[in-house]
Amino acid sequence: FKIMYKDQKPMFQVPFNGSPTNFSSEQICGQIFANLKSTAEAYMHTNVRNAVLCCPAHFTAHQREELIHAAASANLSVLLVISKPVAAAIAYDLDK
């Protein structure tokens, strides 16, 4: 793949169906969310509509907003975006 810039945003150029295609990081995240959603739906035998996202603590508000847009492209409604330290604390408390 190649990394290109369009309007000062990184774009990933990958071969897709025999021709080079450009994808933004938001589009790639959306495809990953769609795959995770379909895996969860297959496992739980029900529709998944909502999600709580976990992101690195250093993510800016803009980066968090892009994650929300990526999830929306996978037909997910984001209830909350939490940082990894908060997620770790919640997971630790659930184990007790």
Side-chain angles (χ1 to χ4, degrees):
F1 67 91
K2 292 180 184 178
I3 298 176
M4 306 173 74
Y5 288 90
K6 181 179 180 184
D7 299 329
Q8 297 182 349
K9 291 181 85 174
M11 299 290 285
F12 301 92
Q13 187 178 67
V14 296
F16 184 70
N17 291 335
S19 65
T21 306
N22 295 332
F23 293 101
S24 68
S25 57
E26 187 177 313
Q27 289 173 311
I28 292 172
C29 283
Q31 291 173 357
I32 292 170
F33 285 142
N35 187 310
L36 289 170
K37 178 184 175 190
S38 66
T39 302
E41 288 176 338
Y43 179 77
M44 296 189 308
H45 305 292
T46 187
N47 288 335
V48 174
R49 295 188 186 106
N50 302 317
V52 174
L53 302 181
C54 175
C55 69
H58 66 272
F59 264 31
T60 64
H62 178 73
Q63 289 170 315
R64 290 171 184 249
E65 194 65 35
E66 288 208 6
L67 275 179
I68 293 170
H69 289 302
S73 72
N75 294 322
L76 287 170
S77 174
V78 177
L79 302 176
L80 184 65
V81 179
I82 59 176
S83 65
K84 283 186 179 183
V86 172
I90 291 170
Y92 178 79
D93 192 43
L94 288 176
D95 192 40
K96 299 271 177 197

